[in-house]
Amino acid sequence: RITINNKKTKTLEGKTILEAAKEARIEIPTLCFHPDLKIKSNCRLCLVEIKGKVGLSTACSTKVEPGMEVVTDSNDIDRARRSNLELLLSEHCENCGECIWKQNCQLLKLSLKYKAKINRFNHRKANLPDFQFGPSVSFNSSKCIDCRNCVEACEKQNVGFLEVRLRNNFWQTLPTNNKKKDCVYCGQCVVHCPVGALEAAKEFEEVEKPILEKGKVVVVQFAPSIRASIGEEFGLPHGSIVTGQLAAAIRQLKVNKVFDVSVGADFTTIEEANELIERLKKRESLPMFTSCCPAWVKYVEFYHPELIPNLTTVRSPHIIMGGLIKTYWSKKEKIDPKKIVVVSIMPCTSKKYEIRRNELKINGLRPVDYVLTTRELAYLLTKHDIDLKNTLPGLADHPFGDPSGAGVIYGASGGVMESALRTAYQKITQEKLSKIEFEEVRGLAETKVASIKFSDQTLKVAVVNGLGNAEKILQELKRNHRKYDYVEVMACPGGCIGGGGQPVPTNNTIRQERAKALYKIDAKKEIRTANENPELKEVYQDFLFQDEIRKSICYTKFFLKKKEN
């Protein structure tokens, strides 16, 4: 039993004052605190008074004690918070117009609330450099407030590309010089930065050029998870399903076609299920790892090149779709593929890197020309006065507009695995599943392990989200390489729903709501397995029946990677 602001409340032993206050619905301001990460007490904004204790204490790091009496607002607290905000502002070069946190900036809200003077102290980071990590992530070090969230997020991914070191007489967050460490472009540093110092490399201005260019045919395709996350950028609750509004809003940008990448996920599912069955028959290159997450692929290519043969060679959904748009669809519509510009809307920063892989080219053309993150699309829609929340729903275009339920759940951790298992089961047993859901591989647990019975065969599978957790599985496989037959790895917590290009803030509660929305869509779908999707059957019958064409569009190769950043 404790008291907060004269309000008596109960909480569990071991919790912090901040946690107890949240339970009692009492707001304490924070900036550096993130539920995914360790408590650092760096921003000093959650200061509180504790009766009987001299000075102020940080609520995020102070554990509750029986009978504790806490005050969260007083003149002394306000004065301390104002001073700390002014010190933080001296490290943060403001660029509010294009910031990732523009809609929900805690630093700005708190500065206004406590009447902090933005220019009270000289800006000590005004001349610090900008960094670009591949084509995916940019880091404006003059905005960094040294909370070190990005460093920990990178360490949790077992990457360690960002570090704190002494430079020009003071400690700074910087990319490492260690040749054995490199960025994998997952963007977890971005979604854990509280002040927008890290951001996806912006491409929305480039995307607008072909829309206005005469003779160009602009095709936009959106990823499975976007339909359950982009609504947050327009004030809708977490996990709001906006598939129809999304298709209609994109069309208002005056693009030529809007397709659904979940259909591409159905293609990936069929080919991946085929490859898995073939490997199981031959008992070769097992376990088979998924490869639709380019950050995970880069991690394998750089940190574990010995495992490259274990990656499925099937291309990711939006890459297969881009290839089909510039071959099958362009031929059908009698459009020169060189005039087609494909834009993918992704929850991911590493997809910006993926589209530049030369081995993905078909007839000398990149399948996808641009990648915009969820946040970038929201910015572009807002710029053109398109309010997704109040947009009347529409439909994505045929022949890539109606996915199976299996294609939609790709956006959640375990979705790729479940989709492939649904199809593989039918192909192996020649029977329909009596229960379509593989709940063993669902959920936000860091690692999920299951044994799936297929007739007289048992498939040992693992689903991992977060590269640090993937590393644990890889170490297990070193000790016993037969432990698993099939492993899904997504670099980001929760899978694509927690991707580096998703709306902020992102935490487990929000990820859970986004995932629930995708499974809800799947449950309501009439067709829930990729191999039963009539749109796919049409394409396979008319075009992909030729092995040479199918392999050029649906398959790829991977290579040892050297340090790029």
Side-chain angles (χ1 to χ4, degrees), residues 266-280 288 312 314 410 416-417 419-428 486 530-531 555:
D266 282 338
F267 283 103
T268 297
T269 293
I270 289 175
E271 297 303 329
E272 192 158 313
N274 289 338
E275 185 172 5
L276 176 63
I277 292 167
E278 191 65 23
R279 291 196 192 194
L280 289 170
M288 186 174 87
T312 173
V314 179
Y410 257 60
V416 178
M417 172 77 69
S419 301
L421 291 177
R422 290 179 187 181
T423 293
Y425 182 92
Q426 290 190 11
K427 286 179 176 287
I428 290 171
Y486 186 28
N531 49 296
Y555 290 84

PDB file of all heavy atoms in Angstrom, residues 266-280 288 312 314 410 416-417 419-428 486 530-531 555:
ATOM      1  N   ASP A 266       0.936 -14.571 -50.737  1.00  0.00           N
ATOM      2  CA  ASP A 266       0.388 -15.862 -51.152  1.00  0.00           C
ATOM      3  C   ASP A 266       1.328 -16.571 -52.129  1.00  0.00           C
ATOM      4  O   ASP A 266       1.520 -17.790 -52.051  1.00  0.00           O
ATOM      5  CB  ASP A 266      -0.995 -15.669 -51.780  1.00  0.00           C
ATOM      6  CG  ASP A 266      -2.094 -15.462 -50.741  1.00  0.00           C
ATOM      7  OD1 ASP A 266      -1.907 -15.868 -49.581  1.00  0.00           O
ATOM      8  OD2 ASP A 266      -3.148 -14.898 -51.091  1.00  0.00           O
ATOM      9  N   PHE A 267       1.912 -15.806 -53.062  1.00  0.00           N
ATOM     10  CA  PHE A 267       2.893 -16.402 -53.982  1.00  0.00           C
ATOM     11  C   PHE A 267       4.110 -16.924 -53.214  1.00  0.00           C
ATOM     12  O   PHE A 267       4.588 -18.040 -53.451  1.00  0.00           O
ATOM     13  CB  PHE A 267       3.350 -15.367 -55.018  1.00  0.00           C
ATOM     14  CG  PHE A 267       2.369 -15.112 -56.115  1.00  0.00           C
ATOM     15  CD1 PHE A 267       1.578 -13.970 -56.118  1.00  0.00           C
ATOM     16  CD2 PHE A 267       2.224 -16.010 -57.161  1.00  0.00           C
ATOM     17  CE1 PHE A 267       0.663 -13.724 -57.131  1.00  0.00           C
ATOM     18  CE2 PHE A 267       1.310 -15.775 -58.183  1.00  0.00           C
ATOM     19  CZ  PHE A 267       0.517 -14.634 -58.171  1.00  0.00           C
ATOM     20  N   THR A 268       4.623 -16.101 -52.295  1.00  0.00           N
ATOM     21  CA  THR A 268       5.775 -16.519 -51.482  1.00  0.00           C
ATOM     22  C   THR A 268       5.449 -17.799 -50.717  1.00  0.00           C
ATOM     23  O   THR A 268       6.267 -18.719 -50.628  1.00  0.00           O
ATOM     24  CB  THR A 268       6.181 -15.399 -50.507  1.00  0.00           C
ATOM     25  OG1 THR A 268       6.607 -14.253 -51.245  1.00  0.00           O
ATOM     26  CG2 THR A 268       7.322 -15.830 -49.591  1.00  0.00           C
ATOM     27  N   THR A 269       4.236 -17.859 -50.168  1.00  0.00           N
ATOM     28  CA  THR A 269       3.813 -19.026 -49.385  1.00  0.00           C
ATOM     29  C   THR A 269       3.859 -20.306 -50.215  1.00  0.00           C
ATOM     30  O   THR A 269       4.399 -21.331 -49.782  1.00  0.00           O
ATOM     31  CB  THR A 269       2.384 -18.819 -48.849  1.00  0.00           C
ATOM     32  OG1 THR A 269       2.408 -17.767 -47.888  1.00  0.00           O
ATOM     33  CG2 THR A 269       1.846 -20.072 -48.195  1.00  0.00           C
ATOM     34  N   ILE A 270       3.293 -20.261 -51.410  1.00  0.00           N
ATOM     35  CA  ILE A 270       3.254 -21.456 -52.262  1.00  0.00           C
ATOM     36  C   ILE A 270       4.658 -21.920 -52.615  1.00  0.00           C
ATOM     37  O   ILE A 270       4.996 -23.103 -52.491  1.00  0.00           O
ATOM     38  CB  ILE A 270       2.432 -21.174 -53.537  1.00  0.00           C
ATOM     39  CG1 ILE A 270       0.950 -21.072 -53.175  1.00  0.00           C
ATOM     40  CG2 ILE A 270       2.655 -22.262 -54.584  1.00  0.00           C
ATOM     41  CD1 ILE A 270       0.042 -20.688 -54.318  1.00  0.00           C
ATOM     42  N   GLU A 271       5.508 -20.978 -53.029  1.00  0.00           N
ATOM     43  CA  GLU A 271       6.861 -21.361 -53.430  1.00  0.00           C
ATOM     44  C   GLU A 271       7.683 -21.823 -52.236  1.00  0.00           C
ATOM     45  O   GLU A 271       8.482 -22.767 -52.332  1.00  0.00           O
ATOM     46  CB  GLU A 271       7.542 -20.185 -54.141  1.00  0.00           C
ATOM     47  CG  GLU A 271       6.871 -19.753 -55.432  1.00  0.00           C
ATOM     48  CD  GLU A 271       6.756 -20.870 -56.468  1.00  0.00           C
ATOM     49  OE1 GLU A 271       7.637 -21.752 -56.492  1.00  0.00           O
ATOM     50  OE2 GLU A 271       5.774 -20.865 -57.239  1.00  0.00           O
ATOM     51  N   GLU A 272       7.492 -21.169 -51.076  1.00  0.00           N
ATOM     52  CA  GLU A 272       8.248 -21.550 -49.882  1.00  0.00           C
ATOM     53  C   GLU A 272       7.809 -22.925 -49.373  1.00  0.00           C
ATOM     54  O   GLU A 272       8.632 -23.725 -48.934  1.00  0.00           O
ATOM     55  CB  GLU A 272       8.086 -20.493 -48.790  1.00  0.00           C
ATOM     56  CG  GLU A 272       9.058 -20.673 -47.634  1.00  0.00           C
ATOM     57  CD  GLU A 272       9.273 -19.394 -46.842  1.00  0.00           C
ATOM     58  OE1 GLU A 272       9.496 -18.327 -47.456  1.00  0.00           O
ATOM     59  OE2 GLU A 272       9.228 -19.478 -45.608  1.00  0.00           O
ATOM     60  N   ALA A 273       6.514 -23.194 -49.448  1.00  0.00           N
ATOM     61  CA  ALA A 273       6.015 -24.513 -49.056  1.00  0.00           C
ATOM     62  C   ALA A 273       6.603 -25.593 -49.962  1.00  0.00           C
ATOM     63  O   ALA A 273       7.013 -26.668 -49.490  1.00  0.00           O
ATOM     64  CB  ALA A 273       4.489 -24.544 -49.119  1.00  0.00           C
ATOM     65  N   ASN A 274       6.676 -25.306 -51.259  1.00  0.00           N
ATOM     66  CA  ASN A 274       7.277 -26.263 -52.205  1.00  0.00           C
ATOM     67  C   ASN A 274       8.734 -26.525 -51.885  1.00  0.00           C
ATOM     68  O   ASN A 274       9.198 -27.676 -51.909  1.00  0.00           O
ATOM     69  CB  ASN A 274       7.147 -25.740 -53.641  1.00  0.00           C
ATOM     70  CG  ASN A 274       5.726 -25.789 -54.158  1.00  0.00           C
ATOM     71  OD1 ASN A 274       4.903 -26.552 -53.648  1.00  0.00           O
ATOM     72  ND2 ASN A 274       5.422 -24.983 -55.157  1.00  0.00           N
ATOM     73  N   GLU A 275       9.471 -25.431 -51.593  1.00  0.00           N
ATOM     74  CA  GLU A 275      10.901 -25.594 -51.292  1.00  0.00           C
ATOM     75  C   GLU A 275      11.097 -26.362 -49.983  1.00  0.00           C
ATOM     76  O   GLU A 275      12.003 -27.202 -49.878  1.00  0.00           O
ATOM     77  CB  GLU A 275      11.591 -24.227 -51.213  1.00  0.00           C
ATOM     78  CG  GLU A 275      13.098 -24.355 -51.035  1.00  0.00           C
ATOM     79  CD  GLU A 275      13.830 -23.030 -51.148  1.00  0.00           C
ATOM     80  OE1 GLU A 275      13.183 -21.971 -51.270  1.00  0.00           O
ATOM     81  OE2 GLU A 275      15.082 -23.057 -51.095  1.00  0.00           O
ATOM     82  N   LEU A 276      10.251 -26.098 -49.000  1.00  0.00           N
ATOM     83  CA  LEU A 276      10.344 -26.815 -47.727  1.00  0.00           C
ATOM     84  C   LEU A 276      10.098 -28.308 -47.932  1.00  0.00           C
ATOM     85  O   LEU A 276      10.858 -29.152 -47.414  1.00  0.00           O
ATOM     86  CB  LEU A 276       9.329 -26.246 -46.731  1.00  0.00           C
ATOM     87  CG  LEU A 276       9.242 -26.955 -45.374  1.00  0.00           C
ATOM     88  CD1 LEU A 276      10.558 -26.854 -44.617  1.00  0.00           C
ATOM     89  CD2 LEU A 276       8.095 -26.389 -44.533  1.00  0.00           C
ATOM     90  N   ILE A 277       9.072 -28.651 -48.692  1.00  0.00           N
ATOM     91  CA  ILE A 277       8.754 -30.066 -48.951  1.00  0.00           C
ATOM     92  C   ILE A 277       9.921 -30.751 -49.651  1.00  0.00           C
ATOM     93  O   ILE A 277      10.292 -31.888 -49.309  1.00  0.00           O
ATOM     94  CB  ILE A 277       7.460 -30.169 -49.796  1.00  0.00           C
ATOM     95  CG1 ILE A 277       6.257 -29.709 -48.960  1.00  0.00           C
ATOM     96  CG2 ILE A 277       7.250 -31.591 -50.301  1.00  0.00           C
ATOM     97  CD1 ILE A 277       5.002 -29.468 -49.778  1.00  0.00           C
ATOM     98  N   GLU A 278      10.508 -30.064 -50.620  1.00  0.00           N
ATOM     99  CA  GLU A 278      11.643 -30.630 -51.363  1.00  0.00           C
ATOM    100  C   GLU A 278      12.840 -30.868 -50.446  1.00  0.00           C
ATOM    101  O   GLU A 278      13.491 -31.924 -50.506  1.00  0.00           O
ATOM    102  CB  GLU A 278      12.024 -29.667 -52.505  1.00  0.00           C
ATOM    103  CG  GLU A 278      13.007 -30.227 -53.512  1.00  0.00           C
ATOM    104  CD  GLU A 278      12.455 -31.391 -54.314  1.00  0.00           C
ATOM    105  OE1 GLU A 278      11.203 -31.515 -54.436  1.00  0.00           O
ATOM    106  OE2 GLU A 278      13.263 -32.193 -54.802  1.00  0.00           O
ATOM    107  N   ARG A 279      13.121 -29.906 -49.569  1.00  0.00           N
ATOM    108  CA  ARG A 279      14.262 -30.057 -48.654  1.00  0.00           C
ATOM    109  C   ARG A 279      14.003 -31.184 -47.648  1.00  0.00           C
ATOM    110  O   ARG A 279      14.929 -31.910 -47.273  1.00  0.00           O
ATOM    111  CB  ARG A 279      14.535 -28.745 -47.914  1.00  0.00           C
ATOM    112  CG  ARG A 279      15.080 -27.642 -48.804  1.00  0.00           C
ATOM    113  CD  ARG A 279      15.684 -26.533 -47.954  1.00  0.00           C
ATOM    114  NE  ARG A 279      15.967 -25.334 -48.728  1.00  0.00           N
ATOM    115  CZ  ARG A 279      16.733 -24.332 -48.300  1.00  0.00           C
ATOM    116  NH1 ARG A 279      17.284 -24.394 -47.086  1.00  0.00           N
ATOM    117  NH2 ARG A 279      16.943 -23.266 -49.041  1.00  0.00           N
ATOM    118  N   LEU A 280      12.765 -31.309 -47.194  1.00  0.00           N
ATOM    119  CA  LEU A 280      12.436 -32.373 -46.246  1.00  0.00           C
ATOM    120  C   LEU A 280      12.592 -33.752 -46.884  1.00  0.00           C
ATOM    121  O   LEU A 280      13.066 -34.701 -46.243  1.00  0.00           O
ATOM    122  CB  LEU A 280      10.996 -32.201 -45.741  1.00  0.00           C
ATOM    123  CG  LEU A 280      10.757 -31.021 -44.784  1.00  0.00           C
ATOM    124  CD1 LEU A 280       9.260 -30.809 -44.565  1.00  0.00           C
ATOM    125  CD2 LEU A 280      11.464 -31.236 -43.448  1.00  0.00           C
ATOM    126  N   MET A 288      15.418 -25.093 -42.735  1.00  0.00           N
ATOM    127  CA  MET A 288      15.235 -24.017 -43.700  1.00  0.00           C
ATOM    128  C   MET A 288      14.793 -22.770 -42.939  1.00  0.00           C
ATOM    129  O   MET A 288      13.885 -22.822 -42.112  1.00  0.00           O
ATOM    130  CB  MET A 288      14.173 -24.395 -44.734  1.00  0.00           C
ATOM    131  CG  MET A 288      14.050 -23.362 -45.852  1.00  0.00           C
ATOM    132  SD  MET A 288      12.917 -23.856 -47.173  1.00  0.00           S
ATOM    133  CE  MET A 288      11.354 -23.270 -46.510  1.00  0.00           C
ATOM    134  N   THR A 312      15.748 -19.894 -47.276  1.00  0.00           N
ATOM    135  CA  THR A 312      14.924 -20.203 -48.439  1.00  0.00           C
ATOM    136  C   THR A 312      15.267 -19.223 -49.553  1.00  0.00           C
ATOM    137  O   THR A 312      15.483 -18.035 -49.304  1.00  0.00           O
ATOM    138  CB  THR A 312      13.421 -20.126 -48.114  1.00  0.00           C
ATOM    139  OG1 THR A 312      12.687 -20.285 -49.329  1.00  0.00           O
ATOM    140  CG2 THR A 312      13.028 -18.810 -47.495  1.00  0.00           C
ATOM    141  N   VAL A 314      13.323 -18.299 -51.906  1.00  0.00           N
ATOM    142  CA  VAL A 314      12.114 -17.629 -52.399  1.00  0.00           C
ATOM    143  C   VAL A 314      12.180 -16.136 -52.073  1.00  0.00           C
ATOM    144  O   VAL A 314      12.567 -15.743 -50.976  1.00  0.00           O
ATOM    145  CB  VAL A 314      10.851 -18.248 -51.768  1.00  0.00           C
ATOM    146  CG1 VAL A 314       9.591 -17.538 -52.263  1.00  0.00           C
ATOM    147  CG2 VAL A 314      10.772 -19.737 -52.085  1.00  0.00           C
ATOM    148  N   TYR A 410       0.968 -12.452 -42.645  1.00  0.00           N
ATOM    149  CA  TYR A 410       2.420 -12.292 -42.788  1.00  0.00           C
ATOM    150  C   TYR A 410       2.961 -11.162 -41.920  1.00  0.00           C
ATOM    151  O   TYR A 410       4.137 -11.151 -41.562  1.00  0.00           O
ATOM    152  CB  TYR A 410       2.773 -11.985 -44.249  1.00  0.00           C
ATOM    153  CG  TYR A 410       3.333 -13.155 -45.024  1.00  0.00           C
ATOM    154  CD1 TYR A 410       2.584 -14.320 -45.180  1.00  0.00           C
ATOM    155  CD2 TYR A 410       4.587 -13.099 -45.617  1.00  0.00           C
ATOM    156  CE1 TYR A 410       3.085 -15.388 -45.909  1.00  0.00           C
ATOM    157  CE2 TYR A 410       5.090 -14.158 -46.334  1.00  0.00           C
ATOM    158  CZ  TYR A 410       4.338 -15.308 -46.482  1.00  0.00           C
ATOM    159  OH  TYR A 410       4.843 -16.364 -47.199  1.00  0.00           O
ATOM    160  N   VAL A 416       4.308 -15.969 -41.381  1.00  0.00           N
ATOM    161  CA  VAL A 416       4.939 -16.624 -42.531  1.00  0.00           C
ATOM    162  C   VAL A 416       4.928 -18.135 -42.323  1.00  0.00           C
ATOM    163  O   VAL A 416       4.567 -18.913 -43.209  1.00  0.00           O
ATOM    164  CB  VAL A 416       6.380 -16.118 -42.730  1.00  0.00           C
ATOM    165  CG1 VAL A 416       7.049 -16.852 -43.903  1.00  0.00           C
ATOM    166  CG2 VAL A 416       6.397 -14.614 -42.975  1.00  0.00           C
ATOM    167  N   MET A 417       5.309 -18.555 -41.118  1.00  0.00           N
ATOM    168  CA  MET A 417       5.330 -19.970 -40.767  1.00  0.00           C
ATOM    169  C   MET A 417       3.932 -20.581 -40.908  1.00  0.00           C
ATOM    170  O   MET A 417       3.751 -21.620 -41.555  1.00  0.00           O
ATOM    171  CB  MET A 417       5.832 -20.132 -39.330  1.00  0.00           C
ATOM    172  CG  MET A 417       5.723 -21.524 -38.757  1.00  0.00           C
ATOM    173  SD  MET A 417       6.995 -22.626 -39.347  1.00  0.00           S
ATOM    174  CE  MET A 417       8.452 -21.947 -38.569  1.00  0.00           C
ATOM    175  N   SER A 419       1.316 -19.556 -42.556  1.00  0.00           N
ATOM    176  CA  SER A 419       0.848 -19.548 -43.942  1.00  0.00           C
ATOM    177  C   SER A 419       1.457 -20.713 -44.719  1.00  0.00           C
ATOM    178  O   SER A 419       0.748 -21.425 -45.447  1.00  0.00           O
ATOM    179  CB  SER A 419       1.233 -18.225 -44.617  1.00  0.00           C
ATOM    180  OG  SER A 419       0.669 -17.142 -43.939  1.00  0.00           O
ATOM    181  N   ALA A 420       2.771 -20.909 -44.561  1.00  0.00           N
ATOM    182  CA  ALA A 420       3.453 -22.000 -45.266  1.00  0.00           C
ATOM    183  C   ALA A 420       2.962 -23.357 -44.776  1.00  0.00           C
ATOM    184  O   ALA A 420       2.787 -24.292 -45.570  1.00  0.00           O
ATOM    185  CB  ALA A 420       4.960 -21.884 -45.085  1.00  0.00           C
ATOM    186  N   LEU A 421       2.713 -23.482 -43.468  1.00  0.00           N
ATOM    187  CA  LEU A 421       2.246 -24.762 -42.918  1.00  0.00           C
ATOM    188  C   LEU A 421       0.859 -25.124 -43.437  1.00  0.00           C
ATOM    189  O   LEU A 421       0.568 -26.296 -43.705  1.00  0.00           O
ATOM    190  CB  LEU A 421       2.236 -24.706 -41.384  1.00  0.00           C
ATOM    191  CG  LEU A 421       3.602 -24.655 -40.689  1.00  0.00           C
ATOM    192  CD1 LEU A 421       3.422 -24.535 -39.180  1.00  0.00           C
ATOM    193  CD2 LEU A 421       4.451 -25.876 -41.022  1.00  0.00           C
ATOM    194  N   ARG A 422      -0.002 -24.117 -43.594  1.00  0.00           N
ATOM    195  CA  ARG A 422      -1.341 -24.391 -44.128  1.00  0.00           C
ATOM    196  C   ARG A 422      -1.262 -25.011 -45.518  1.00  0.00           C
ATOM    197  O   ARG A 422      -1.959 -25.985 -45.836  1.00  0.00           O
ATOM    198  CB  ARG A 422      -2.165 -23.098 -44.197  1.00  0.00           C
ATOM    199  CG  ARG A 422      -2.581 -22.530 -42.864  1.00  0.00           C
ATOM    200  CD  ARG A 422      -3.379 -21.232 -43.054  1.00  0.00           C
ATOM    201  NE  ARG A 422      -3.667 -20.575 -41.780  1.00  0.00           N
ATOM    202  CZ  ARG A 422      -4.359 -19.448 -41.650  1.00  0.00           C
ATOM    203  NH1 ARG A 422      -4.845 -18.850 -42.738  1.00  0.00           N
ATOM    204  NH2 ARG A 422      -4.574 -18.912 -40.462  1.00  0.00           N
ATOM    205  N   THR A 423      -0.392 -24.446 -46.353  1.00  0.00           N
ATOM    206  CA  THR A 423      -0.250 -24.955 -47.714  1.00  0.00           C
ATOM    207  C   THR A 423       0.540 -26.261 -47.739  1.00  0.00           C
ATOM    208  O   THR A 423       0.165 -27.205 -48.442  1.00  0.00           O
ATOM    209  CB  THR A 423       0.420 -23.891 -48.608  1.00  0.00           C
ATOM    210  OG1 THR A 423      -0.464 -22.781 -48.750  1.00  0.00           O
ATOM    211  CG2 THR A 423       0.754 -24.442 -49.986  1.00  0.00           C
ATOM    212  N   ALA A 424       1.638 -26.330 -46.983  1.00  0.00           N
ATOM    213  CA  ALA A 424       2.467 -27.543 -46.974  1.00  0.00           C
ATOM    214  C   ALA A 424       1.667 -28.752 -46.493  1.00  0.00           C
ATOM    215  O   ALA A 424       1.818 -29.861 -47.026  1.00  0.00           O
ATOM    216  CB  ALA A 424       3.690 -27.326 -46.084  1.00  0.00           C
ATOM    217  N   TYR A 425       0.817 -28.532 -45.488  1.00  0.00           N
ATOM    218  CA  TYR A 425       0.001 -29.640 -44.960  1.00  0.00           C
ATOM    219  C   TYR A 425      -0.867 -30.236 -46.069  1.00  0.00           C
ATOM    220  O   TYR A 425      -0.935 -31.456 -46.240  1.00  0.00           O
ATOM    221  CB  TYR A 425      -0.877 -29.145 -43.807  1.00  0.00           C
ATOM    222  CG  TYR A 425      -1.714 -30.245 -43.181  1.00  0.00           C
ATOM    223  CD1 TYR A 425      -1.234 -30.967 -42.087  1.00  0.00           C
ATOM    224  CD2 TYR A 425      -2.969 -30.567 -43.691  1.00  0.00           C
ATOM    225  CE1 TYR A 425      -1.995 -31.979 -41.520  1.00  0.00           C
ATOM    226  CE2 TYR A 425      -3.733 -31.581 -43.133  1.00  0.00           C
ATOM    227  CZ  TYR A 425      -3.240 -32.284 -42.046  1.00  0.00           C
ATOM    228  OH  TYR A 425      -3.991 -33.292 -41.492  1.00  0.00           O
ATOM    229  N   GLN A 426      -1.523 -29.357 -46.830  1.00  0.00           N
ATOM    230  CA  GLN A 426      -2.408 -29.846 -47.890  1.00  0.00           C
ATOM    231  C   GLN A 426      -1.620 -30.552 -48.984  1.00  0.00           C
ATOM    232  O   GLN A 426      -2.074 -31.566 -49.536  1.00  0.00           O
ATOM    233  CB  GLN A 426      -3.214 -28.688 -48.482  1.00  0.00           C
ATOM    234  CG  GLN A 426      -4.271 -28.138 -47.523  1.00  0.00           C
ATOM    235  CD  GLN A 426      -5.221 -27.159 -48.195  1.00  0.00           C
ATOM    236  OE1 GLN A 426      -5.236 -27.018 -49.404  1.00  0.00           O
ATOM    237  NE2 GLN A 426      -6.030 -26.479 -47.396  1.00  0.00           N
ATOM    238  N   LYS A 427      -0.427 -30.033 -49.297  1.00  0.00           N
ATOM    239  CA  LYS A 427       0.380 -30.648 -50.350  1.00  0.00           C
ATOM    240  C   LYS A 427       0.940 -32.006 -49.917  1.00  0.00           C
ATOM    241  O   LYS A 427       1.038 -32.934 -50.709  1.00  0.00           O
ATOM    242  CB  LYS A 427       1.524 -29.710 -50.747  1.00  0.00           C
ATOM    243  CG  LYS A 427       1.081 -28.512 -51.581  1.00  0.00           C
ATOM    244  CD  LYS A 427       2.243 -27.604 -51.914  1.00  0.00           C
ATOM    245  CE  LYS A 427       1.814 -26.473 -52.836  1.00  0.00           C
ATOM    246  NZ  LYS A 427       1.565 -26.901 -54.217  1.00  0.00           N
ATOM    247  N   ILE A 428       1.328 -32.107 -48.632  1.00  0.00           N
ATOM    248  CA  ILE A 428       1.920 -33.357 -48.140  1.00  0.00           C
ATOM    249  C   ILE A 428       0.856 -34.432 -47.925  1.00  0.00           C
ATOM    250  O   ILE A 428       1.028 -35.588 -48.310  1.00  0.00           O
ATOM    251  CB  ILE A 428       2.698 -33.103 -46.824  1.00  0.00           C
ATOM    252  CG1 ILE A 428       3.974 -32.290 -47.115  1.00  0.00           C
ATOM    253  CG2 ILE A 428       3.074 -34.424 -46.145  1.00  0.00           C
ATOM    254  CD1 ILE A 428       4.701 -31.807 -45.873  1.00  0.00           C
ATOM    255  N   TYR A 486      12.355 -26.183 -39.677  1.00  0.00           N
ATOM    256  CA  TYR A 486      11.903 -24.948 -40.326  1.00  0.00           C
ATOM    257  C   TYR A 486      11.886 -23.848 -39.266  1.00  0.00           C
ATOM    258  O   TYR A 486      11.331 -24.035 -38.175  1.00  0.00           O
ATOM    259  CB  TYR A 486      10.509 -25.187 -40.897  1.00  0.00           C
ATOM    260  CG  TYR A 486       9.901 -24.079 -41.728  1.00  0.00           C
ATOM    261  CD1 TYR A 486      10.667 -23.178 -42.456  1.00  0.00           C
ATOM    262  CD2 TYR A 486       8.503 -23.964 -41.817  1.00  0.00           C
ATOM    263  CE1 TYR A 486      10.085 -22.187 -43.222  1.00  0.00           C
ATOM    264  CE2 TYR A 486       7.905 -22.979 -42.588  1.00  0.00           C
ATOM    265  CZ  TYR A 486       8.698 -22.096 -43.288  1.00  0.00           C
ATOM    266  OH  TYR A 486       8.113 -21.107 -44.055  1.00  0.00           O
ATOM    267  N   ALA A 530      -3.171 -19.995 -49.216  1.00  0.00           N
ATOM    268  CA  ALA A 530      -2.641 -19.349 -50.418  1.00  0.00           C
ATOM    269  C   ALA A 530      -2.954 -20.141 -51.682  1.00  0.00           C
ATOM    270  O   ALA A 530      -3.296 -19.577 -52.723  1.00  0.00           O
ATOM    271  CB  ALA A 530      -1.131 -19.164 -50.265  1.00  0.00           C
ATOM    272  N   ASN A 531      -2.834 -21.462 -51.602  1.00  0.00           N
ATOM    273  CA  ASN A 531      -3.002 -22.296 -52.797  1.00  0.00           C
ATOM    274  C   ASN A 531      -4.432 -22.334 -53.309  1.00  0.00           C
ATOM    275  O   ASN A 531      -4.700 -22.802 -54.417  1.00  0.00           O
ATOM    276  CB  ASN A 531      -2.516 -23.725 -52.524  1.00  0.00           C
ATOM    277  CG  ASN A 531      -3.068 -24.300 -51.238  1.00  0.00           C
ATOM    278  OD1 ASN A 531      -2.780 -23.790 -50.157  1.00  0.00           O
ATOM    279  ND2 ASN A 531      -3.875 -25.344 -51.348  1.00  0.00           N
ATOM    280  N   TYR A 555      12.474 -16.539 -57.287  1.00  0.00           N
ATOM    281  CA  TYR A 555      13.639 -17.048 -56.555  1.00  0.00           C
ATOM    282  C   TYR A 555      14.839 -16.117 -56.684  1.00  0.00           C
ATOM    283  O   TYR A 555      14.926 -15.310 -57.603  1.00  0.00           O
ATOM    284  CB  TYR A 555      13.998 -18.462 -57.043  1.00  0.00           C
ATOM    285  CG  TYR A 555      12.975 -19.487 -56.616  1.00  0.00           C
ATOM    286  CD1 TYR A 555      11.810 -19.677 -57.366  1.00  0.00           C
ATOM    287  CD2 TYR A 555      13.146 -20.231 -55.459  1.00  0.00           C
ATOM    288  CE1 TYR A 555      10.844 -20.599 -56.967  1.00  0.00           C
ATOM    289  CE2 TYR A 555      12.183 -21.154 -55.046  1.00  0.00           C
ATOM    290  CZ  TYR A 555      11.037 -21.330 -55.800  1.00  0.00           C
ATOM    291  OH  TYR A 555      10.093 -22.231 -55.386  1.00  0.00           O
TER     292      TYR A 555
END
